[in-house]
Amino acid sequence: MVLAGLLGLAQAQNTSMSDNHLQSVTAIARVVGDGRKVETVVLEYDAPVRNKSLSADSYRVENKEVTRIYANRVPERASQGVDGPYVIIEVKAEVDLNARPQMPTEEDKKKKQERDRMQGGPGLRAGWSTGGNDQYPGNAVVTQTADIKTCGGKTYKASPLPIESTAEKCLVADDFRQEAFVSPYTGQTLPYNLYLPEDYDPAEEYPLVLFIHDAGVASGDVTHTLYQGNGATSWAEPQAQARHKCIVVAPEYPVITVDDNWNYSHHLDATIALLKELQTRYSVDPKRIYTTGQSMGCMSSIVMMLKEPDLFAGALLVAGKWNPALMGPLDRQNIWIISCEGDVSSSTLQGKAVELWRSQGSQVTEATWDMTLPQEQLSAEADKMRAEGNHLLFTHLTGGNHRATWFVAYGIEGVQDWLFDQHK
């Protein structure tokens, strides 16, 4: 993976970097299904380091498993190390299907009690905030645990002092820019992230993918929707863009947009207005606007599809639900639902919607997949479902839980390919 150019920005001096031979420490992350994770740490020294003096035990990275350590002439990963001023530390950055959200602090619990009191009872309500407390750190703390040598024969001694990264980068997520939209209905501001293809050409029309996050990051920083999982970034990955160039929009909602009592906030109307405004600014193919979201984002997508049945060409609905009695009209739209069997609420209610669609005469392709399969095999399973030619699909992932659904769903190429096949 080429990382050159990622170290060009000015870097703040880290007071913990006591070794004056060390010029900078950059943590480079990637967003996977369960959030942003550091996958590479680049140490820049003041002299070329002898590659043979390095081993996988030369450094330790706090709370991370080191897989490779080597030197390089440039700040990039490489298949083989060579003498150079950069030490590259590769660490494991895989999806954890059992990952859980951050445990609430006592302060969080007090906030929840106060929110419940003001709302008149426990539970989330549309228009209220969860606090956006989930964190997806992109920093790294490194300790040099063995001596290393320069090509000039000097020894840089091991030290017990931890060294924190002086710069952070996040591949793909950093390619989004942050903007704000003022609702024409309320005057309130909706922050959002926008990705344009690298070679964007106004003379060419592009599909647009809208991603809506879940309640876990509501009221967080605008970039939290990019870091919490790959629901937004998966469409902007280089491999995905090579297959399907598209514009990606990922709002960051200040509040809960929908709740389990089928209430929704005015922010969904603002989102529809945002999509229409973007069509006036960018070259969007009006026949290929897609919506997707996880949990709250899935429910938000369903509401917008009901409100604006002619807006979206297709929808990928992940780990969500809606009142099945109201979902009858959606059988005319192109929809792929993905739920985990362990997410009883989503699986049951979406299953009832599917039953309703079938009673109305619609064909629905349904299948169960082992969620632990490699992405390549899941993509092959998706292709089998696509081959049936129906415009309504429902995939059950074995076991799992509510959050695990989106840890898996957004990396499946066959599902992505299906979405981009849909046209109004």
Side-chain angles (χ1 to χ4, degrees), residues 270-286:
T271 304
I272 293 171
L274 166 62
L275 294 178
K276 293 179 179 179
E277 193 262 353
L278 289 172
Q279 292 181 69
T280 68
R281 291 170 50 200
Y282 300 105
S283 186
V284 175
D285 184 347

Side-chain angles (χ1 to χ4, degrees), residues 38 77 90 92 105 132-133 164 243 334 393 396 406:
V38 172
R77 283 191 174 209
E90 297 184 10
K92 185 176 288 187
T105 63
N133 295 321
E164 187 166 358
R243 296 186 349 265
N334 303 312
L393 306 92
H396 306 265
W406 62 82

Side-chain angles (χ1 to χ4, degrees), residues 54-75:
L54 299 170
S55 74
D57 298 320
S58 297
Y59 297 85
R60 183 176 65 250
V61 182
E62 188 176 292
N63 299 323
K64 303 187 188 304
E65 181 182 340
V66 174
T67 56
R68 293 182 67 211
I69 298 178
Y70 51 92
N72 206 354
R73 299 189 190 95
V74 289

Side-chain angles (χ1 to χ4, degrees), residues 324-374:
L326 302 178
M327 292 181 65
L330 294 185
D331 70 348
R332 296 189 292 273
Q333 302 205 36
N334 303 312
I335 296 173
W336 194 324
I337 300 169
I338 302 181
S339 291
C340 272
E341 291 176 332
D343 185 357
V344 177
S345 180
S346 174
S347 294
T348 301
L349 290 177
Q350 296 287 55
K352 289 182 178 180
V354 167
E355 290 175 7
L356 175 61
W357 294 340
R358 285 180 171 142
S359 72
Q360 295 174 169
S362 294
Q363 298 290 321
V364 183
T365 297
E366 201 163 357
T368 299
W369 302 345
D370 179 352
M371 69 185 303
T372 65
L373 290 175

Side-chain angles (χ1 to χ4, degrees), residues 111-421:
K111 286 181 180 178
K112 181 180 182 300
Q113 289 176 348
E114 177 62 13
R115 183 196 69 203
D116 291 345
R117 184 189 68 80
M118 295 181 68
Q119 291 182 159
L124 298 174
R125 304 282 198 283
W128 289 78
S129 170
T130 61
N133 295 321
D134 283 356
Q135 299 295 316
Y136 303 91
N139 66 317
V141 178
V142 181
T143 303
Q144 184 182 337
T145 52
D147 295 351
I148 65 173
K149 293 187 178 296
T150 70
C151 295
K154 292 183 180 180
T155 298
Y156 291 168
K157 291 286 188 180
S159 170
L161 295 177
I163 303 165
E164 187 166 358
S165 49
T166 57
E168 298 177 12
K169 303 293 176 186
C170 189
L171 302 177
V172 182
D174 286 349
D175 297 330
F176 284 75
R177 62 191 188 201
Q178 287 67 53
E179 298 190 0
F181 176 71
V182 177
S183 170
Y185 309 112
T186 66
Q188 293 181 324
T189 298
L190 175 62
Y192 66 96
N193 303 273
L194 178 69
Y195 174 85
L196 295 178
E198 187 175 348
D199 57 352
Y200 172 78
D201 181 356
E204 180 181 349
E205 285 191 332
Y206 297 87
L208 182 149
V209 177
L210 168 69
F211 170 74
I212 302 180
H213 60 75
D214 63 76
V217 296
S219 80
D221 183 80
V222 63
T223 55
H224 276 196
T225 185
L226 302 177
Y227 296 153
Q228 69 158 168
N230 60 350
T233 57
S234 62
W235 314 98
E237 289 278 356
Q239 303 94 321
Q241 285 285 309
R243 296 186 349 265
H244 307 287
K245 287 183 184 178
C246 67
I247 297 169
V248 186
V249 183
E252 172 60 44
Y253 294 94
V255 297
I256 302 300
T257 55
V258 296
D259 63 31
D260 289 340
N261 295 311
W262 323 127
N263 301 308
Y264 60 89
S265 78
H266 58 81
H267 293 86
L268 299 184
D269 292 317
T271 304
I272 293 171
L274 166 62
L275 294 178
K276 293 179 179 179
E277 193 262 353
L278 289 172
Q279 292 181 69
T280 68
R281 291 170 50 200
Y282 300 105
S283 186
V284 175
D285 184 347
K287 295 183 179 180
R288 300 182 71 196
I289 298 174
Y290 309 111
T291 186
T292 184
Q294 57 203 37
S295 191
M296 181 190 87
C298 169
M299 297 165 72
S300 299
S301 293
I302 291 171
V303 172
M304 289 189 293
M305 294 167 71
L306 289 167
K307 291 171 71 71
E308 294 273 344
D310 296 322
L311 178 57
F312 299 108
L316 173 59
L317 304 178
V318 178
K321 59 191 177 185
W322 198 247
N323 182 350
L326 302 178
M327 292 181 65
L330 294 185
D331 70 348
R332 296 189 292 273
Q333 302 205 36
N334 303 312
I335 296 173
W336 194 324
I337 300 169
I338 302 181
S339 291
C340 272
E341 291 176 332
D343 185 357
V344 177
S345 180
S346 174
S347 294
T348 301
L349 290 177
Q350 296 287 55
K352 289 182 178 180
V354 167
E355 290 175 7
L356 175 61
W357 294 340
R358 285 180 171 142
S359 72
Q360 295 174 169
S362 294
Q363 298 290 321
V364 183
T365 297
E366 201 163 357
T368 299
W369 302 345
D370 179 352
M371 69 185 303
T372 65
L373 290 175
Q375 289 289 341
E376 294 79 10
Q377 288 182 249
L378 291 175
S379 185
E381 292 298 318
D383 289 341
K384 292 177 185 177
M385 292 185 70
R386 292 170 60 204
E388 293 193 23
N390 292 323
H391 68 279
L392 298 169
L393 306 92
F394 189 10
T395 296
H396 306 265
L397 298 177
T398 55
N401 55 58
H402 181 58
R403 287 162 54 90
T405 315
W406 62 82
F407 295 173
V408 174
Y410 284 106
I412 304 172
E413 288 190 1
V415 174
Q416 291 186 346
D417 293 342
W418 172 87
L419 189 66
F420 286 104
D421 282 344

